[in-house]
Amino acid sequence: MSTETPTAAERSDFIREIVAADLREGRHTTIVTRFPPEPNGYLHIGHAKSICLNFGIAAEFGGRCHLRFDDTNPVKEEQEYLDAIEADVRWLGFDWGEHLHHASDYFEQLYAWAVHLVKAGKAYVDDLTADEIREHRGTLTEPGQNSPWRDRPAAESLDLFERMRAGEFPNGARVLRAKIDMASPNINLRDPVLYRIVHAAHPRTGDAWCVYPTYDFAHGQSDAIEGITHSICTLEFEAHRPLYDWLIENLPVPSRPRQYEFARLNLTHTVLSKRVLLRLVTEGRVRGWDDPRMPTISGLRRRGFPAEGIRDFAALIGVAKADSVVEIGMLEHAVRDVLNRTAPRRFAVLDPLRVVVEDYPEGQVEEVEVANNPEDPAAGTRTVAFSRELWIERDDFLEEPPAKFFRLAPGREVRLRSAYFITCREVVKDEAGRVVELRCTHDPSTRGGDAPDGRRPKATLHWVSAAHAVPAEVRLYDHLFSRPDPGADGDLFADLNPASETVLRGCRVEPDLAETPAGATVQFERLGYFCPDPDSRPGRLVFNRTLTLKDTWAKLQAQGRHDTPQGGRG
RNA sequence: UGGCGAGUGGCCUAACGGUAAGGCACCUGACUCUGGAUCAGGGGAUUGAAGGUUCGAAUCCUUCCUCGCCAGCCA
């Protein structure tokens, strides 16, 4: 159940309309949905859309939503995935109560139903090889051919099926098939395979079974067992619906679930395919399923995306049947929106440039008061140490400022946020001509950040006191793929963004940032949102950049130079 | 080429026969101790095309076009 659904009080979509009508017209009194992941990988933002839909509907209509693992293929499934999926759904803010289920919980019942079909002459054991079955299946335009085993006596199929279960045959030797119609224009109805022999240990049932039901045979029946009323899945299962219905109609199942399909999520600059994500991980293109660049729930979490932002995003994009590609900016907008409201502000300098305030007494330290979040007065204030030697952001100074560059430059006065106005008096360079230090003066009357004479600098800079700031490593993240439609030219991996991660060492941050709790995302003023990485240690702080702030100056620069998609800073 | 599904401003989504709405993005201005946020305003859609029904069509009908999915013993 969602903690709250802030932005989408009146959101509706074609599925919710169906649900509402079913309730209104008495077809159901309680709505039961389910989220049915296969534990063969980590959940990603596309799954989040489905999770929000299924759990969201259950919550809105006073029903319930089950978490059911579709664990029918032991060769691809692992306990690690089962655990990660549960953690991710919970982190997203949803609760399945008592209803944690597995298709494997129903193996015995499913087997019994398969036997039922065999006895009814509606399923048979086929001795054809996989290749032969394919050849008999026909093509999109040509009907298939009946298997020579199609009409063998039910008793013979039954015997063979029992021996399949008993482990008498090797993988692939035989399968159980539904007897429907080899000439159907819907290929899924051309005697689909219901059971196959797989001698492999299952994460939950171990070696108890060596025959496993296919998705088609397991899914709808599991829905029926659990009393699912609305079995919501993605568009690619549309062609399976007739089979879903055929099985429900031909089996003595306890309920009549109905399947509805919606368009899966596609996002620009990212790939949402478990197959590809698995490759990124196994081939070491990223550091793991929870790499902050991954579109996985665990990656987004590590990156600092709040669950609320992900839920808001799901509400924002809606649910429909048209294939679509959502701009990643939409996700970033939803996330910035919650972070702007909730993230505490802190000072951090990513690329430090030394500033010496010449007219500020050596050894003196003042505690200046700074708002924790201008958006939220209740967040209160904190004090930050100010002293003679400071660090400011290197790109907040330009010796020869172009028009529209409002920050520090020789002779120019700017405000140091919540502290003093300073004026740059001298630029110190090393032998190579690189600026290494700025000699400045301050106006003591501007303490706190306001001038008694009403003077208003065009820029306000963030800063840290050199003697008080603590060092940190900061990892900057950008889109994993550099083009909006990765792989459109053929080679997906060639579109990997080489600048998707930039590691900055030698950053200087406000001391209390050392205490930022894991999972908390803060705003580094004027830079963006950041969160401590799990790699962070007391003495060796590591922060991940969740997202940059919107940056008009970076945009202006980008327009002028026509590069840097994510803009500036570091 | 068979079946199924879908086409609404750059992107997402709404309109359920009554004369195209909202969000994101973009642009402009105001305000601002974050070039953030906020506020105000703006540009932009002959609703894939062509016919037809109707007083009236994004919605109904016909034909066509385009895109997606289906020929795993994956899900």
PDB file of all heavy atoms in Angstrom, chain A residues 98-112:
ATOM      1  N   GLU A  98       0.034 -10.680   4.031  1.00  0.00           N
ATOM      2  CA  GLU A  98       0.230 -12.129   4.102  1.00  0.00           C
ATOM      3  C   GLU A  98       0.461 -12.742   2.727  1.00  0.00           C
ATOM      4  O   GLU A  98       0.744 -13.919   2.612  1.00  0.00           O
ATOM      5  CB  GLU A  98      -1.019 -12.795   4.692  1.00  0.00           C
ATOM      6  CG  GLU A  98      -1.396 -12.303   6.070  1.00  0.00           C
ATOM      7  CD  GLU A  98      -0.299 -12.604   7.070  1.00  0.00           C
ATOM      8  OE1 GLU A  98      -0.041 -13.787   7.343  1.00  0.00           O
ATOM      9  OE2 GLU A  98       0.326 -11.626   7.556  1.00  0.00           O
ATOM     10  N   HIS A  99       0.277 -11.924   1.720  1.00  0.00           N
ATOM     11  CA  HIS A  99       0.220 -12.494   0.377  1.00  0.00           C
ATOM     12  C   HIS A  99       1.517 -12.496  -0.406  1.00  0.00           C
ATOM     13  O   HIS A  99       1.619 -11.928  -1.481  1.00  0.00           O
ATOM     14  CB  HIS A  99      -0.904 -11.824  -0.407  1.00  0.00           C
ATOM     15  CG  HIS A  99      -2.246 -12.140   0.185  1.00  0.00           C
ATOM     16  ND1 HIS A  99      -2.877 -13.348  -0.006  1.00  0.00           N
ATOM     17  CD2 HIS A  99      -3.041 -11.421   1.012  1.00  0.00           C
ATOM     18  CE1 HIS A  99      -4.011 -13.359   0.659  1.00  0.00           C
ATOM     19  NE2 HIS A  99      -4.141 -12.201   1.288  1.00  0.00           N
ATOM     20  N   LEU A 100       2.484 -13.184   0.160  1.00  0.00           N
ATOM     21  CA  LEU A 100       3.703 -13.469  -0.580  1.00  0.00           C
ATOM     22  C   LEU A 100       3.539 -14.884  -1.128  1.00  0.00           C
ATOM     23  O   LEU A 100       3.399 -15.839  -0.364  1.00  0.00           O
ATOM     24  CB  LEU A 100       4.927 -13.409   0.349  1.00  0.00           C
ATOM     25  CG  LEU A 100       6.233 -13.871  -0.295  1.00  0.00           C
ATOM     26  CD1 LEU A 100       6.616 -12.962  -1.455  1.00  0.00           C
ATOM     27  CD2 LEU A 100       7.353 -13.903   0.735  1.00  0.00           C
ATOM     28  N   HIS A 101       3.487 -15.000  -2.425  1.00  0.00           N
ATOM     29  CA  HIS A 101       3.254 -16.307  -3.035  1.00  0.00           C
ATOM     30  C   HIS A 101       4.282 -16.635  -4.102  1.00  0.00           C
ATOM     31  O   HIS A 101       5.026 -15.751  -4.540  1.00  0.00           O
ATOM     32  CB  HIS A 101       1.849 -16.345  -3.659  1.00  0.00           C
ATOM     33  CG  HIS A 101       0.762 -16.005  -2.686  1.00  0.00           C
ATOM     34  ND1 HIS A 101       0.470 -16.782  -1.595  1.00  0.00           N
ATOM     35  CD2 HIS A 101      -0.100 -14.946  -2.632  1.00  0.00           C
ATOM     36  CE1 HIS A 101      -0.535 -16.238  -0.905  1.00  0.00           C
ATOM     37  NE2 HIS A 101      -0.893 -15.111  -1.514  1.00  0.00           N
ATOM     38  N   HIS A 102       4.276 -17.898  -4.479  1.00  0.00           N
ATOM     39  CA  HIS A 102       5.185 -18.346  -5.536  1.00  0.00           C
ATOM     40  C   HIS A 102       4.413 -19.301  -6.426  1.00  0.00           C
ATOM     41  O   HIS A 102       3.631 -20.114  -5.920  1.00  0.00           O
ATOM     42  CB  HIS A 102       6.386 -19.096  -4.957  1.00  0.00           C
ATOM     43  CG  HIS A 102       7.166 -18.296  -3.955  1.00  0.00           C
ATOM     44  ND1 HIS A 102       6.729 -18.100  -2.667  1.00  0.00           N
ATOM     45  CD2 HIS A 102       8.335 -17.620  -4.071  1.00  0.00           C
ATOM     46  CE1 HIS A 102       7.598 -17.345  -2.020  1.00  0.00           C
ATOM     47  NE2 HIS A 102       8.581 -17.037  -2.848  1.00  0.00           N
ATOM     48  N   ALA A 103       4.634 -19.224  -7.702  1.00  0.00           N
ATOM     49  CA  ALA A 103       4.011 -20.189  -8.599  1.00  0.00           C
ATOM     50  C   ALA A 103       4.426 -21.592  -8.148  1.00  0.00           C
ATOM     51  O   ALA A 103       3.658 -22.544  -8.255  1.00  0.00           O
ATOM     52  CB  ALA A 103       4.436 -19.925 -10.041  1.00  0.00           C
ATOM     53  N   SER A 104       5.629 -21.687  -7.604  1.00  0.00           N
ATOM     54  CA  SER A 104       6.114 -23.002  -7.172  1.00  0.00           C
ATOM     55  C   SER A 104       5.318 -23.556  -5.993  1.00  0.00           C
ATOM     56  O   SER A 104       5.332 -24.761  -5.740  1.00  0.00           O
ATOM     57  CB  SER A 104       7.607 -22.933  -6.821  1.00  0.00           C
ATOM     58  OG  SER A 104       7.840 -21.953  -5.833  1.00  0.00           O
ATOM     59  N   ASP A 105       4.594 -22.692  -5.283  1.00  0.00           N
ATOM     60  CA  ASP A 105       3.724 -23.172  -4.204  1.00  0.00           C
ATOM     61  C   ASP A 105       2.621 -24.050  -4.791  1.00  0.00           C
ATOM     62  O   ASP A 105       2.006 -24.849  -4.089  1.00  0.00           O
ATOM     63  CB  ASP A 105       3.045 -22.001  -3.481  1.00  0.00           C
ATOM     64  CG  ASP A 105       4.052 -21.088  -2.783  1.00  0.00           C
ATOM     65  OD1 ASP A 105       5.171 -21.556  -2.503  1.00  0.00           O
ATOM     66  OD2 ASP A 105       3.708 -19.927  -2.538  1.00  0.00           O
ATOM     67  N   TYR A 106       2.348 -23.841  -6.074  1.00  0.00           N
ATOM     68  CA  TYR A 106       1.200 -24.505  -6.704  1.00  0.00           C
ATOM     69  C   TYR A 106       1.594 -25.655  -7.628  1.00  0.00           C
ATOM     70  O   TYR A 106       0.759 -26.161  -8.370  1.00  0.00           O
ATOM     71  CB  TYR A 106       0.386 -23.471  -7.501  1.00  0.00           C
ATOM     72  CG  TYR A 106       0.138 -22.177  -6.752  1.00  0.00           C
ATOM     73  CD1 TYR A 106       0.355 -20.953  -7.358  1.00  0.00           C
ATOM     74  CD2 TYR A 106      -0.310 -22.202  -5.421  1.00  0.00           C
ATOM     75  CE1 TYR A 106       0.136 -19.757  -6.666  1.00  0.00           C
ATOM     76  CE2 TYR A 106      -0.523 -21.011  -4.723  1.00  0.00           C
ATOM     77  CZ  TYR A 106      -0.298 -19.799  -5.349  1.00  0.00           C
ATOM     78  OH  TYR A 106      -0.512 -18.629  -4.664  1.00  0.00           O
ATOM     79  N   PHE A 107       2.859 -26.042  -7.598  1.00  0.00           N
ATOM     80  CA  PHE A 107       3.308 -27.067  -8.532  1.00  0.00           C
ATOM     81  C   PHE A 107       2.459 -28.343  -8.471  1.00  0.00           C
ATOM     82  O   PHE A 107       2.139 -28.940  -9.493  1.00  0.00           O
ATOM     83  CB  PHE A 107       4.787 -27.413  -8.277  1.00  0.00           C
ATOM     84  CG  PHE A 107       5.753 -26.431  -8.912  1.00  0.00           C
ATOM     85  CD1 PHE A 107       7.125 -26.533  -8.661  1.00  0.00           C
ATOM     86  CD2 PHE A 107       5.303 -25.408  -9.752  1.00  0.00           C
ATOM     87  CE1 PHE A 107       8.022 -25.638  -9.241  1.00  0.00           C
ATOM     88  CE2 PHE A 107       6.192 -24.507 -10.333  1.00  0.00           C
ATOM     89  CZ  PHE A 107       7.563 -24.630 -10.073  1.00  0.00           C
ATOM     90  N   GLU A 108       2.111 -28.753  -7.248  1.00  0.00           N
ATOM     91  CA  GLU A 108       1.338 -29.990  -7.115  1.00  0.00           C
ATOM     92  C   GLU A 108      -0.050 -29.826  -7.751  1.00  0.00           C
ATOM     93  O   GLU A 108      -0.524 -30.678  -8.496  1.00  0.00           O
ATOM     94  CB  GLU A 108       1.216 -30.347  -5.630  1.00  0.00           C
ATOM     95  CG  GLU A 108       0.877 -31.803  -5.380  1.00  0.00           C
ATOM     96  CD  GLU A 108       1.938 -32.773  -5.923  1.00  0.00           C
ATOM     97  OE1 GLU A 108       3.104 -32.710  -5.480  1.00  0.00           O
ATOM     98  OE2 GLU A 108       1.603 -33.588  -6.797  1.00  0.00           O
ATOM     99  N   GLN A 109      -0.677 -28.714  -7.472  1.00  0.00           N
ATOM    100  CA  GLN A 109      -2.003 -28.449  -8.037  1.00  0.00           C
ATOM    101  C   GLN A 109      -1.935 -28.303  -9.559  1.00  0.00           C
ATOM    102  O   GLN A 109      -2.791 -28.801 -10.287  1.00  0.00           O
ATOM    103  CB  GLN A 109      -2.576 -27.162  -7.414  1.00  0.00           C
ATOM    104  CG  GLN A 109      -3.873 -26.696  -8.038  1.00  0.00           C
ATOM    105  CD  GLN A 109      -5.028 -27.668  -7.783  1.00  0.00           C
ATOM    106  OE1 GLN A 109      -5.292 -28.558  -8.599  1.00  0.00           O
ATOM    107  NE2 GLN A 109      -5.687 -27.519  -6.670  1.00  0.00           N
ATOM    108  N   LEU A 110      -0.918 -27.622 -10.011  1.00  0.00           N
ATOM    109  CA  LEU A 110      -0.772 -27.421 -11.458  1.00  0.00           C
ATOM    110  C   LEU A 110      -0.579 -28.763 -12.152  1.00  0.00           C
ATOM    111  O   LEU A 110      -1.146 -29.020 -13.219  1.00  0.00           O
ATOM    112  CB  LEU A 110       0.413 -26.487 -11.750  1.00  0.00           C
ATOM    113  CG  LEU A 110       0.211 -25.026 -11.304  1.00  0.00           C
ATOM    114  CD1 LEU A 110       1.522 -24.243 -11.406  1.00  0.00           C
ATOM    115  CD2 LEU A 110      -0.875 -24.352 -12.127  1.00  0.00           C
ATOM    116  N   TYR A 111       0.194 -29.621 -11.513  1.00  0.00           N
ATOM    117  CA  TYR A 111       0.421 -30.943 -12.081  1.00  0.00           C
ATOM    118  C   TYR A 111      -0.905 -31.708 -12.160  1.00  0.00           C
ATOM    119  O   TYR A 111      -1.224 -32.332 -13.171  1.00  0.00           O
ATOM    120  CB  TYR A 111       1.435 -31.716 -11.229  1.00  0.00           C
ATOM    121  CG  TYR A 111       1.725 -33.103 -11.761  1.00  0.00           C
ATOM    122  CD1 TYR A 111       2.686 -33.307 -12.744  1.00  0.00           C
ATOM    123  CD2 TYR A 111       1.010 -34.218 -11.291  1.00  0.00           C
ATOM    124  CE1 TYR A 111       2.925 -34.579 -13.254  1.00  0.00           C
ATOM    125  CE2 TYR A 111       1.244 -35.486 -11.788  1.00  0.00           C
ATOM    126  CZ  TYR A 111       2.208 -35.673 -12.771  1.00  0.00           C
ATOM    127  OH  TYR A 111       2.432 -36.926 -13.280  1.00  0.00           O
ATOM    128  N   ALA A 112      -1.676 -31.590 -11.107  1.00  0.00           N
ATOM    129  CA  ALA A 112      -2.970 -32.285 -11.082  1.00  0.00           C
ATOM    130  C   ALA A 112      -3.875 -31.771 -12.197  1.00  0.00           C
ATOM    131  O   ALA A 112      -4.610 -32.533 -12.841  1.00  0.00           O
ATOM    132  CB  ALA A 112      -3.647 -32.096  -9.722  1.00  0.00           C
TER     133      ALA A 112
END
